[in-house]
Amino acid sequence: MARVGQVKAPAGERLSDRIAIGVLTQAFPRDLVDEVIAECGRVEQRSRLLPARVVVYFVLAMCLFFGQGYEEVARLLGEGLGDGRRPWQVPTTAAIGRARRRLGPEPLKVLFARVCRPVAVSGTAGAWYRHWQLVAVDGTTLDLADTEANDTFFGRPGSGRGIGAFPQARLVALAECGTHTVFGAALGPLSVSEQSLSRQLFAHLRVGMLLLADRGFYGFELWQQARAGGADLLWRVKKNAALPVLRVLDDGSYLSTVHAEQDRKTRRNPVTVRVIEYTLARSGDATVYRLITTLLAPKEAPASELAALYTQRWEIESTLDEIKTHQRGPRLVLRSKYPWGVEQEVYGLLLVHHAIRQLMHQAALHEGLDPDRLSFTRSLRVVRRQVPAQAGLSPRQARRGTDPHPG
């Protein structure tokens, strides 16, 4: 007999099948997870305490409760499970490690590709400039467990003062400026540049987007690849970039041309860009900014507006900070000892962040607020509190419990 407050498991259903983790189960339904597992060839041939679906949810919970031990995360997932005759058996750390290896990184990567899309709608405050959807690209590094496998594959930073304490992976992300949702990511060794990794992300761009990027990204070939899908671009360039003045426009910006390296001297095959130059003065120090853009007509995008708009690029800096500092925790390293586990863990972090940001976007829409007005840290705490209370609920009950506006 089930105890008061418990839901009796249907005949033939494994207790582990009933695991739900609030907002994460809502964002990544079990049917979708099962579909991804089948697509990646990870369906089990025999019944296990940790079937592949549960391992996917475990990885997500591990990335939600970063810093907690394997068995503690399993206990959080197992809260409320049981049918009155047998309790949920918490797997050992070794069993969880083996289950993670069986799963591999592919299901998390495919799940990210399926679910993590732009979420802004026409009513999303702060997500648009006129009719353009604002997105940005940027990169960061993540400290990894100090193992020989991670060191060999990812490498570690070095400087004149010596070699870094931990191996590091390089991550480049593509995110909506207004909602902070990451909808494109590329991970690689430290030796691979942000520019090289960003090439993997441009397929996510589409007509109607305006991509913001810092000066470290500009290169002619990269610029051409980014604009190939029809998105418009607003990138900062270095102050020594050769940008001849072809025609000064009414708003003070001017038209210029950029060229491939082999055409630079002869000026063959020019690509027209618009250049916007302005100075920002801070505490007596003046910084000159040079932006180039595919938006050539001042009437559709005045220079003063684009100069002010460029500050939105910092939203992706805040997004990466949310993942590294608040979700992961400051000065913490990823736990995975092998490259396959690092990849699995990074995509788990990105999936959890997307689920939280999606929930925040829904709440902001309901209240007519800019999503920036909502606290990511507070939202993270709310989601974490829901997990023990909802882990044993059915998926429908879990969805009802995470509705930001129940009733």
Side-chain angles (χ1 to χ4, degrees), residues 356-399:
I356 295 170
R357 270 293 169 184
Q358 190 172 36
L359 188 69
M360 293 172 66
H361 176 247
Q362 292 168 2
L365 273 181
H366 185 269
E367 299 298 329
L369 297 174
D370 187 325
D372 286 348
R373 296 282 304 276
L374 304 183
S375 167
F376 177 81
T377 303
R378 183 177 179 183
S379 301
L380 177 63
R381 290 171 182 162
V382 169
V383 171
R384 283 173 173 167
R385 286 198 300 268
Q386 289 176 342
V387 171
Q390 296 187 345
L393 301 178
S394 69
R396 175 179 290 184
Q397 289 170 316
R399 285 194 298 272

Side-chain angles (χ1 to χ4, degrees), residues 11 22 87 108 110 115 151 154 160 179 189 223 234 321 353 359 371 377 379 393 395:
L108 279 296
V110 173
V115 176
D151 194 8
F154 290 104
T179 66
W223 176 266
L234 179 64
D321 181 69
H353 180 269
L359 188 69
T377 303
S379 301
L393 301 178

Side-chain angles (χ1 to χ4, degrees), residues 163-233:
I163 298 176
F166 298 98
Q168 287 185 341
R170 192 179 304 281
L171 173 68
V172 177
L174 188 63
E176 281 188 305
C177 296
T179 66
H180 290 202
T181 53
V182 176
F183 63 98
L187 183 72
L190 197 60
S191 59
V192 181
S193 68
E194 292 182 355
Q195 293 91 332
S196 295
L197 287 174
S198 68
R199 297 176 191 274
Q200 302 176 33
L201 306 181
F202 295 149
H204 298 288
L205 299 175
R206 62 174 184 262
V207 175
M209 288 181 172
L210 178 58
L211 176 67
L212 312 180
D214 199 5
R215 57 187 172 183
F217 281 90
Y218 177 73
F220 180 82
E221 289 76 16
L222 207 62
W223 176 266
Q224 291 294 84
Q225 288 182 24
R227 67 195 293 262
D232 284 296
L233 313 179

Side-chain angles (χ1 to χ4, degrees), residues 27 31 78 143 195 209 228 232 250 282 291 299 367 381 400:
D31 290 345
D143 289 338
Q195 293 91 332
M209 288 181 172
D232 284 296
D250 292 341
R282 299 192 188 100
L291 309 179
K299 287 185 178 180
E367 299 298 329
R381 290 171 182 162
R400 191 160 57 239

